[in-house]
Amino acid sequence: MTPEQKNVLIDHLDESLRGKATATLEDIIGNDPEGEKEWNYLRLAVDAVREAGLYQEVSAARTAWKAESGIAAKSATAKSATETTTAAATNTTAKVRSLYRVSLRAAAVILIITASTAVYRYLSVSSGSLYERYYSGYNLSTTRGAGDTDPVMEAYHAKDWTAVRRLAATAKNRTNQTDFLAGMACLEQKQYDEAISHFEQIIAVNTHAGTDLYQDEAEYYLAISWLAHRNVNEAMPILEKIRADQHHKYHEKVEKMSFFDLRLAQYKENK
């Protein structure tokens, strides 16, 4: 990418963090693989800053960048400025323009490379390890109508995962609940491809019918399934969506995840 394109990405990141983005990421990078890598690197750096609590340092750098940019612009446009002053102002503008990006990269480098704990973290973090960290089973509510006996639910309560999958596959009336319990049974038995199919089926049904039965559950466990499948690239957009939605049932759970570790796993996966 050219320096100008990188600057556009930085501006977009800055606007996104302040909730004022006017363009989508697709509008900016299109189908450029290098642009996507640069964007992921910047997001990794941002999460590194958040993880280490370096808000004040980066904020100060950003303030300095804006202040210096203003000074440089005034110097460059002043008619009375000498040739030497104009050259210095231009040089200053070029330097401070990338100060924000350099500060973010420095934060990421400090955390990932220089500290011994960060080196261990880099070596140990993967989509698989994140699945092991964040996966927890689903507790099915026992409240249901009197005389209501569902073989799939009973098998799920008994943790008979094989029976859950078999009964779900032969059920006369396939529902979102049936698919969800079958997907969870697949996760328990490490059949990740099948689990993904079940959760995606729920989302597809809800999209087509305009319903939301088991929607939040399906989205969260679909992301978890992608982590188990060693594909953090598929999991990240879903987790980002959940984190941005304060009304999502799994918002608080996702909010507590380390997005620095998730982006670190994504960075390693895309190398």
Side-chain angles (χ1 to χ4, degrees), residues 224-270:
I224 294 297
S225 298
W226 280 120
L227 290 179
H229 200 270
R230 303 296 196 272
N231 195 332
V232 69
N233 282 326
E234 294 289 345
M236 282 301 293
I238 305 171
L239 294 174
E240 290 278 15
K241 175 181 178 294
I242 295 173
R243 185 169 70 162
D245 182 2
Q246 295 185 359
H247 300 292
H248 199 285
K249 291 180 182 178
Y250 290 85
H251 170 77
E252 290 187 9
K253 186 182 287 287
V254 172
E255 186 71 20
K256 294 176 182 178
M257 290 182 174
S258 170
F259 271 72
F260 172 67
D261 284 355
L262 286 163
R263 294 196 192 284
L264 182 57
Q266 186 179 33
Y267 170 75
K268 291 172 65 177
E269 188 173 288
N270 294 331

Tab-separated table of all heavy atoms in Angstrom, residues 224-270:
chain	number	residue	atom	x	y	z
A	224	ILE	N	-17.940	-19.539	18.241
A	224	ILE	CA	-17.141	-20.484	19.023
A	224	ILE	C	-16.766	-21.701	18.181
A	224	ILE	O	-15.648	-22.223	18.260
A	224	ILE	CB	-17.917	-20.914	20.284
A	224	ILE	CG1	-18.110	-19.721	21.240
A	224	ILE	CG2	-17.195	-22.051	21.003
A	224	ILE	CD1	-16.823	-19.138	21.779
A	225	SER	N	-17.715	-22.153	17.349
A	225	SER	CA	-17.445	-23.304	16.481
A	225	SER	C	-16.347	-22.998	15.476
A	225	SER	O	-15.510	-23.855	15.172
A	225	SER	CB	-18.728	-23.719	15.737
A	225	SER	OG	-19.740	-24.113	16.631
A	226	TRP	N	-16.342	-21.766	14.945
A	226	TRP	CA	-15.294	-21.392	14.000
A	226	TRP	C	-13.931	-21.356	14.689
A	226	TRP	O	-12.912	-21.717	14.088
A	226	TRP	CB	-15.601	-20.048	13.354
A	226	TRP	CG	-16.586	-20.108	12.235
A	226	TRP	CD1	-17.798	-19.477	12.152
A	226	TRP	CD2	-16.456	-20.853	11.014
A	226	TRP	NE1	-18.432	-19.776	10.967
A	226	TRP	CE2	-17.625	-20.622	10.242
A	226	TRP	CE3	-15.466	-21.693	10.500
A	226	TRP	CZ2	-17.825	-21.203	8.995
A	226	TRP	CZ3	-15.664	-22.267	9.247
A	226	TRP	CH2	-16.824	-22.021	8.508
A	227	LEU	N	-13.897	-20.929	15.946
A	227	LEU	CA	-12.630	-20.976	16.692
A	227	LEU	C	-12.165	-22.421	16.840
A	227	LEU	O	-10.981	-22.725	16.663
A	227	LEU	CB	-12.801	-20.338	18.072
A	227	LEU	CG	-12.992	-18.824	18.126
A	227	LEU	CD1	-13.160	-18.362	19.572
A	227	LEU	CD2	-11.811	-18.092	17.480
A	228	ALA	N	-13.106	-23.308	17.177
A	228	ALA	CA	-12.759	-24.721	17.314
A	228	ALA	C	-12.280	-25.295	15.985
A	228	ALA	O	-11.432	-26.198	15.953
A	228	ALA	CB	-13.967	-25.506	17.817
A	229	HIS	N	-12.807	-24.747	14.899
A	229	HIS	CA	-12.463	-25.202	13.546
A	229	HIS	C	-11.131	-24.607	13.085
A	229	HIS	O	-10.719	-24.812	11.954
A	229	HIS	CB	-13.588	-24.803	12.587
A	229	HIS	CG	-13.618	-25.578	11.315
A	229	HIS	ND1	-12.932	-25.192	10.188
A	229	HIS	CD2	-14.250	-26.724	10.979
A	229	HIS	CE1	-13.143	-26.059	9.211
A	229	HIS	NE2	-13.940	-27.002	9.664
A	230	ARG	N	-10.495	-23.855	13.954
A	230	ARG	CA	-9.213	-23.182	13.656
A	230	ARG	C	-9.378	-22.137	12.549
A	230	ARG	O	-8.528	-21.995	11.678
A	230	ARG	CB	-8.125	-24.192	13.245
A	230	ARG	CG	-7.846	-25.292	14.255
A	230	ARG	CD	-7.282	-24.740	15.544
A	230	ARG	NE	-6.664	-25.752	16.386
A	230	ARG	CZ	-7.317	-26.485	17.294
A	230	ARG	NH1	-8.617	-26.304	17.454
A	230	ARG	NH2	-6.677	-27.365	18.038
A	231	ASN	N	-10.474	-21.407	12.597
A	231	ASN	CA	-10.725	-20.378	11.581
A	231	ASN	C	-11.211	-19.119	12.275
A	231	ASN	O	-12.414	-18.821	12.311
A	231	ASN	CB	-11.754	-20.865	10.559
A	231	ASN	CG	-11.777	-19.998	9.320
A	231	ASN	OD1	-11.461	-18.815	9.380
A	231	ASN	ND2	-12.150	-20.585	8.192
A	232	VAL	N	-10.276	-18.369	12.830
A	232	VAL	CA	-10.630	-17.164	13.565
A	232	VAL	C	-11.133	-16.068	12.630
A	232	VAL	O	-11.889	-15.179	13.046
A	232	VAL	CB	-9.424	-16.666	14.398
A	232	VAL	CG1	-8.330	-16.134	13.511
A	232	VAL	CG2	-9.851	-15.613	15.417
A	233	ASN	N	-10.754	-16.127	11.349
A	233	ASN	CA	-11.233	-15.126	10.382
A	233	ASN	C	-12.757	-15.152	10.254
A	233	ASN	O	-13.384	-14.106	10.057
A	233	ASN	CB	-10.602	-15.373	9.008
A	233	ASN	CG	-9.172	-14.880	8.936
A	233	ASN	OD1	-8.832	-13.881	9.544
A	233	ASN	ND2	-8.340	-15.585	8.201
A	234	GLU	N	-13.355	-16.331	10.347
A	234	GLU	CA	-14.810	-16.449	10.274
A	234	GLU	C	-15.456	-16.042	11.596
A	234	GLU	O	-16.576	-15.520	11.617
A	234	GLU	CB	-15.213	-17.889	9.926
A	234	GLU	CG	-14.796	-18.348	8.542
A	234	GLU	CD	-15.610	-17.669	7.447
A	234	GLU	OE1	-16.660	-17.078	7.755
A	234	GLU	OE2	-15.186	-17.730	6.282
A	235	ALA	N	-14.767	-16.280	12.690
A	235	ALA	CA	-15.331	-15.978	14.008
A	235	ALA	C	-15.337	-14.487	14.315
A	235	ALA	O	-16.270	-13.978	14.951
A	235	ALA	CB	-14.550	-16.722	15.094
A	236	MET	N	-14.326	-13.762	13.858
A	236	MET	CA	-14.161	-12.365	14.257
A	236	MET	C	-15.331	-11.465	13.881
A	236	MET	O	-15.789	-10.679	14.719
A	236	MET	CB	-12.857	-11.810	13.685
A	236	MET	CG	-11.611	-12.244	14.456
A	236	MET	SD	-11.654	-11.748	16.192
A	236	MET	CE	-11.564	-9.976	16.045
A	237	PRO	N	-15.855	-11.502	12.647
A	237	PRO	CA	-16.983	-10.613	12.321
A	237	PRO	C	-18.201	-10.859	13.214
A	237	PRO	O	-18.914	-9.915	13.570
A	237	PRO	CB	-17.286	-10.948	10.852
A	237	PRO	CG	-16.029	-11.546	10.321
A	237	PRO	CD	-15.422	-12.283	11.463
A	238	ILE	N	-18.430	-12.117	13.569
A	238	ILE	CA	-19.574	-12.442	14.423
A	238	ILE	C	-19.357	-11.896	15.825
A	238	ILE	O	-20.254	-11.288	16.430
A	238	ILE	CB	-19.792	-13.969	14.472
A	238	ILE	CG1	-19.946	-14.532	13.067
A	238	ILE	CG2	-21.021	-14.306	15.323
A	238	ILE	CD1	-19.954	-16.053	13.017
A	239	LEU	N	-18.149	-12.087	16.357
A	239	LEU	CA	-17.847	-11.594	17.700
A	239	LEU	C	-17.874	-10.070	17.739
A	239	LEU	O	-18.323	-9.474	18.729
A	239	LEU	CB	-16.483	-12.124	18.148
A	239	LEU	CG	-16.417	-13.637	18.357
A	239	LEU	CD1	-14.986	-14.085	18.654
A	239	LEU	CD2	-17.351	-14.078	19.493
A	240	GLU	N	-17.389	-9.431	16.676
A	240	GLU	CA	-17.443	-7.966	16.593
A	240	GLU	C	-18.896	-7.489	16.606
A	240	GLU	O	-19.234	-6.486	17.254
A	240	GLU	CB	-16.744	-7.478	15.314
A	240	GLU	CG	-15.231	-7.645	15.314
A	240	GLU	CD	-14.532	-6.516	16.055
A	240	GLU	OE1	-15.202	-5.776	16.794
A	240	GLU	OE2	-13.313	-6.400	15.894
A	241	LYS	N	-19.756	-8.187	15.884
A	241	LYS	CA	-21.179	-7.835	15.827
A	241	LYS	C	-21.809	-7.956	17.209
A	241	LYS	O	-22.571	-7.077	17.639
A	241	LYS	CB	-21.896	-8.748	14.837
A	241	LYS	CG	-23.409	-8.567	14.779
A	241	LYS	CD	-24.029	-9.544	13.790
A	241	LYS	CE	-25.561	-9.414	13.751
A	241	LYS	NZ	-26.184	-9.813	15.022
A	242	ILE	N	-21.502	-9.039	17.908
A	242	ILE	CA	-22.076	-9.245	19.241
A	242	ILE	C	-21.562	-8.193	20.216
A	242	ILE	O	-22.326	-7.651	21.026
A	242	ILE	CB	-21.736	-10.666	19.752
A	242	ILE	CG1	-22.402	-11.722	18.863
A	242	ILE	CG2	-22.185	-10.835	21.206
A	242	ILE	CD1	-21.995	-13.149	19.191
A	243	ARG	N	-20.278	-7.879	20.135
A	243	ARG	CA	-19.707	-6.887	21.052
A	243	ARG	C	-20.319	-5.508	20.828
A	243	ARG	O	-20.464	-4.723	21.765
A	243	ARG	CB	-18.181	-6.809	20.885
A	243	ARG	CG	-17.527	-5.884	21.908
A	243	ARG	CD	-16.018	-6.000	21.930
A	243	ARG	NE	-15.386	-5.467	20.761
A	243	ARG	CZ	-14.090	-5.144	20.682
A	243	ARG	NH1	-13.307	-5.329	21.729
A	243	ARG	NH2	-13.576	-4.669	19.565
A	244	ALA	N	-20.690	-5.212	19.589
A	244	ALA	CA	-21.264	-3.898	19.274
A	244	ALA	C	-22.743	-3.790	19.645
A	244	ALA	O	-23.285	-2.689	19.708
A	244	ALA	CB	-21.085	-3.598	17.788
A	245	ASP	N	-23.378	-4.930	19.909
A	245	ASP	CA	-24.818	-4.955	20.208
A	245	ASP	C	-25.025	-5.173	21.706
A	245	ASP	O	-24.940	-6.292	22.202
A	245	ASP	CB	-25.495	-6.070	19.409
A	245	ASP	CG	-27.004	-6.120	19.632
A	245	ASP	OD1	-27.531	-5.263	20.369
A	245	ASP	OD2	-27.652	-7.023	19.060
A	246	GLN	N	-25.314	-4.106	22.417
A	246	GLN	CA	-25.473	-4.195	23.865
A	246	GLN	C	-26.722	-4.975	24.275
A	246	GLN	O	-26.847	-5.360	25.438
A	246	GLN	CB	-25.517	-2.796	24.478
A	246	GLN	CG	-24.214	-2.028	24.319
A	246	GLN	CD	-24.232	-0.698	25.037
A	246	GLN	OE1	-25.217	-0.322	25.651
A	246	GLN	NE2	-23.120	0.026	24.962
A	247	HIS	N	-27.630	-5.207	23.339
A	247	HIS	CA	-28.850	-5.944	23.647
A	247	HIS	C	-28.716	-7.442	23.341
A	247	HIS	O	-29.650	-8.203	23.596
A	247	HIS	CB	-30.029	-5.359	22.865
A	247	HIS	CG	-30.301	-3.925	23.169
A	247	HIS	ND1	-30.782	-3.487	24.389
A	247	HIS	CD2	-30.131	-2.795	22.424
A	247	HIS	CE1	-30.914	-2.181	24.376
A	247	HIS	NE2	-30.525	-1.734	23.198
A	248	HIS	N	-27.587	-7.836	22.808
A	248	HIS	CA	-27.365	-9.247	22.492
A	248	HIS	C	-27.212	-10.038	23.790
A	248	HIS	O	-26.579	-9.580	24.745
A	248	HIS	CB	-26.096	-9.389	21.633
A	248	HIS	CG	-26.011	-10.681	20.890
A	248	HIS	ND1	-25.691	-11.877	21.508
A	248	HIS	CD2	-26.192	-10.975	19.571
A	248	HIS	CE1	-25.668	-12.834	20.611
A	248	HIS	NE2	-25.982	-12.327	19.428
A	249	LYS	N	-27.778	-11.236	23.835
A	249	LYS	CA	-27.732	-12.056	25.047
A	249	LYS	C	-26.307	-12.374	25.482
A	249	LYS	O	-26.029	-12.573	26.665
A	249	LYS	CB	-28.494	-13.365	24.827
A	249	LYS	CG	-29.995	-13.215	24.701
A	249	LYS	CD	-30.654	-14.568	24.482
A	249	LYS	CE	-32.168	-14.429	24.314
A	249	LYS	NZ	-32.807	-15.745	24.050
A	250	TYR	N	-25.392	-12.414	24.516
A	250	TYR	CA	-24.016	-12.796	24.818
A	250	TYR	C	-23.063	-11.607	24.757
A	250	TYR	O	-21.846	-11.795	24.692
A	250	TYR	CB	-23.568	-13.911	23.869
A	250	TYR	CG	-24.265	-15.226	24.150
A	250	TYR	CD1	-25.509	-15.503	23.604
A	250	TYR	CD2	-23.704	-16.173	25.000
A	250	TYR	CE1	-26.179	-16.679	23.877
A	250	TYR	CE2	-24.356	-17.362	25.280
A	250	TYR	CZ	-25.597	-17.607	24.722
A	250	TYR	OH	-26.246	-18.788	25.012
A	251	HIS	N	-23.611	-10.407	24.796
A	251	HIS	CA	-22.778	-9.206	24.720
A	251	HIS	C	-21.761	-9.160	25.863
A	251	HIS	O	-20.557	-8.933	25.632
A	251	HIS	CB	-23.647	-7.948	24.748
A	251	HIS	CG	-22.866	-6.683	24.923
A	251	HIS	ND1	-22.146	-6.095	23.899
A	251	HIS	CD2	-22.663	-5.901	26.024
A	251	HIS	CE1	-21.545	-5.011	24.350
A	251	HIS	NE2	-21.841	-4.869	25.628
A	252	GLU	N	-22.208	-9.344	27.085
A	252	GLU	CA	-21.302	-9.251	28.229
A	252	GLU	C	-20.230	-10.329	28.177
A	252	GLU	O	-19.066	-10.072	28.513
A	252	GLU	CB	-22.092	-9.350	29.535
A	252	GLU	CG	-22.968	-8.139	29.817
A	252	GLU	CD	-23.603	-8.192	31.191
A	252	GLU	OE1	-23.230	-9.084	31.989
A	252	GLU	OE2	-24.471	-7.352	31.473
A	253	LYS	N	-20.596	-11.510	27.763
A	253	LYS	CA	-19.621	-12.599	27.663
A	253	LYS	C	-18.540	-12.272	26.632
A	253	LYS	O	-17.342	-12.475	26.877
A	253	LYS	CB	-20.335	-13.903	27.295
A	253	LYS	CG	-19.444	-15.133	27.304
A	253	LYS	CD	-20.219	-16.360	26.886
A	253	LYS	CE	-21.169	-16.825	27.970
A	253	LYS	NZ	-20.434	-17.454	29.110
A	254	VAL	N	-18.967	-11.744	25.483
A	254	VAL	CA	-18.014	-11.400	24.423
A	254	VAL	C	-17.193	-10.175	24.831
A	254	VAL	O	-16.000	-10.087	24.521
A	254	VAL	CB	-18.752	-11.148	23.092
A	254	VAL	CG1	-17.799	-10.596	22.035
A	254	VAL	CG2	-19.401	-12.439	22.599
A	255	GLU	N	-17.823	-9.235	25.524
A	255	GLU	CA	-17.117	-8.033	25.976
A	255	GLU	C	-15.937	-8.379	26.871
A	255	GLU	O	-14.922	-7.665	26.901
A	255	GLU	CB	-18.101	-7.121	26.730
A	255	GLU	CG	-17.536	-5.777	27.136
A	255	GLU	CD	-17.319	-4.830	25.969
A	255	GLU	OE1	-17.937	-5.032	24.900
A	255	GLU	OE2	-16.527	-3.893	26.136
A	256	LYS	N	-16.032	-9.479	27.593
A	256	LYS	CA	-14.967	-9.894	28.499
A	256	LYS	C	-13.850	-10.664	27.803
A	256	LYS	O	-12.811	-10.954	28.406
A	256	LYS	CB	-15.547	-10.752	29.629
A	256	LYS	CG	-16.483	-9.994	30.558
A	256	LYS	CD	-17.091	-10.914	31.603
A	256	LYS	CE	-18.061	-10.161	32.502
A	256	LYS	NZ	-18.706	-11.062	33.505
A	257	MET	N	-14.052	-10.998	26.534
A	257	MET	CA	-13.011	-11.701	25.787
A	257	MET	C	-11.838	-10.772	25.508
A	257	MET	O	-12.006	-9.560	25.414
A	257	MET	CB	-13.563	-12.228	24.452
A	257	MET	CG	-14.543	-13.359	24.568
A	257	MET	SD	-15.064	-13.930	22.910
A	257	MET	CE	-16.046	-15.366	23.355
A	258	SER	N	-10.667	-11.347	25.365
A	258	SER	CA	-9.495	-10.560	24.989
A	258	SER	C	-9.448	-10.447	23.467
A	258	SER	O	-9.061	-11.390	22.777
A	258	SER	CB	-8.210	-11.218	25.501
A	258	SER	OG	-7.080	-10.574	24.948
A	259	PHE	N	-9.843	-9.292	22.947
A	259	PHE	CA	-9.800	-9.102	21.499
A	259	PHE	C	-8.367	-8.931	21.005
A	259	PHE	O	-8.089	-9.112	19.824
A	259	PHE	CB	-10.686	-7.926	21.091
A	259	PHE	CG	-12.101	-8.336	20.810
A	259	PHE	CD1	-12.938	-8.703	21.848
A	259	PHE	CD2	-12.571	-8.400	19.520
A	259	PHE	CE1	-14.244	-9.118	21.605
A	259	PHE	CE2	-13.870	-8.812	19.250
A	259	PHE	CZ	-14.711	-9.169	20.303
A	260	PHE	N	-7.478	-8.590	21.914
A	260	PHE	CA	-6.062	-8.579	21.537
A	260	PHE	C	-5.612	-9.998	21.201
A	260	PHE	O	-4.956	-10.240	20.179
A	260	PHE	CB	-5.207	-8.008	22.664
A	260	PHE	CG	-3.736	-8.142	22.407
A	260	PHE	CD1	-3.131	-7.431	21.389
A	260	PHE	CD2	-2.953	-8.995	23.177
A	260	PHE	CE1	-1.767	-7.558	21.138
A	260	PHE	CE2	-1.596	-9.130	22.934
A	260	PHE	CZ	-1.002	-8.410	21.913
A	261	ASP	N	-5.970	-10.969	22.046
A	261	ASP	CA	-5.606	-12.361	21.774
A	261	ASP	C	-6.291	-12.870	20.512
A	261	ASP	O	-5.693	-13.605	19.722
A	261	ASP	CB	-5.980	-13.244	22.964
A	261	ASP	CG	-5.002	-13.097	24.125
A	261	ASP	OD1	-3.995	-12.385	23.958
A	261	ASP	OD2	-5.252	-13.684	25.195
A	262	LEU	N	-7.538	-12.477	20.320
A	262	LEU	CA	-8.255	-12.902	19.118
A	262	LEU	C	-7.585	-12.354	17.860
A	262	LEU	O	-7.395	-13.074	16.870
A	262	LEU	CB	-9.708	-12.430	19.185
A	262	LEU	CG	-10.616	-13.195	20.149
A	262	LEU	CD1	-11.891	-12.403	20.434
A	262	LEU	CD2	-10.979	-14.565	19.573
A	263	ARG	N	-7.196	-11.082	17.893
A	263	ARG	CA	-6.542	-10.494	16.717
A	263	ARG	C	-5.124	-11.043	16.553
A	263	ARG	O	-4.614	-11.142	15.434
A	263	ARG	CB	-6.532	-8.975	16.831
A	263	ARG	CG	-7.918	-8.386	16.766
A	263	ARG	CD	-7.896	-6.907	16.482
A	263	ARG	NE	-9.215	-6.354	16.723
A	263	ARG	CZ	-10.251	-6.497	15.919
A	263	ARG	NH1	-10.111	-7.200	14.793
A	263	ARG	NH2	-11.420	-5.969	16.214
A	264	LEU	N	-4.498	-11.384	17.666
A	264	LEU	CA	-3.175	-11.988	17.584
A	264	LEU	C	-3.273	-13.347	16.892
A	264	LEU	O	-2.454	-13.670	16.015
A	264	LEU	CB	-2.588	-12.143	18.991
A	264	LEU	CG	-1.176	-12.721	19.089
A	264	LEU	CD1	-0.198	-11.878	18.285
A	264	LEU	CD2	-0.747	-12.797	20.552
A	265	ALA	N	-4.294	-14.125	17.245
A	265	ALA	CA	-4.508	-15.413	16.588
A	265	ALA	C	-4.834	-15.202	15.110
A	265	ALA	O	-4.378	-15.956	14.239
A	265	ALA	CB	-5.635	-16.174	17.274
A	266	GLN	N	-5.593	-14.162	14.818
A	266	GLN	CA	-5.930	-13.845	13.430
A	266	GLN	C	-4.681	-13.441	12.653
A	266	GLN	O	-4.497	-13.857	11.491
A	266	GLN	CB	-6.969	-12.740	13.392
A	266	GLN	CG	-7.510	-12.426	12.003
A	266	GLN	CD	-8.569	-11.334	12.045
A	266	GLN	OE1	-8.517	-10.419	12.864
A	266	GLN	NE2	-9.555	-11.429	11.163
A	267	TYR	N	-3.835	-12.636	13.272
A	267	TYR	CA	-2.593	-12.218	12.633
A	267	TYR	C	-1.714	-13.435	12.302
A	267	TYR	O	-1.187	-13.562	11.194
A	267	TYR	CB	-1.841	-11.259	13.549
A	267	TYR	CG	-0.448	-10.940	13.123
A	267	TYR	CD1	-0.200	-10.086	12.060
A	267	TYR	CD2	0.650	-11.524	13.772
A	267	TYR	CE1	1.097	-9.797	11.657
A	267	TYR	CE2	1.946	-11.242	13.368
A	267	TYR	CZ	2.167	-10.385	12.322
A	267	TYR	OH	3.446	-10.108	11.922
A	268	LYS	N	-1.601	-14.351	13.265
A	268	LYS	CA	-0.794	-15.560	13.046
A	268	LYS	C	-1.400	-16.441	11.955
A	268	LYS	O	-0.680	-17.024	11.141
A	268	LYS	CB	-0.677	-16.337	14.360
A	268	LYS	CG	0.164	-15.643	15.419
A	268	LYS	CD	0.081	-16.356	16.761
A	268	LYS	CE	0.678	-17.734	16.699
A	268	LYS	NZ	0.659	-18.383	18.035
A	269	GLU	N	-2.731	-16.503	11.941
A	269	GLU	CA	-3.412	-17.334	10.963
A	269	GLU	C	-3.231	-16.799	9.542
A	269	GLU	O	-3.194	-17.564	8.575
A	269	GLU	CB	-4.892	-17.394	11.316
A	269	GLU	CG	-5.699	-18.382	10.491
A	269	GLU	CD	-7.122	-18.502	11.003
A	269	GLU	OE1	-7.296	-19.089	12.086
A	269	GLU	OE2	-8.033	-18.006	10.323
A	270	ASN	N	-3.112	-15.486	9.421
A	270	ASN	CA	-3.036	-14.860	8.097
A	270	ASN	C	-1.608	-14.625	7.624
A	270	ASN	O	-1.410	-14.053	6.544
A	270	ASN	CB	-3.785	-13.522	8.097
A	270	ASN	CG	-5.282	-13.714	8.298
A	270	ASN	OD1	-5.835	-14.741	7.925
A	270	ASN	ND2	-5.933	-12.745	8.897
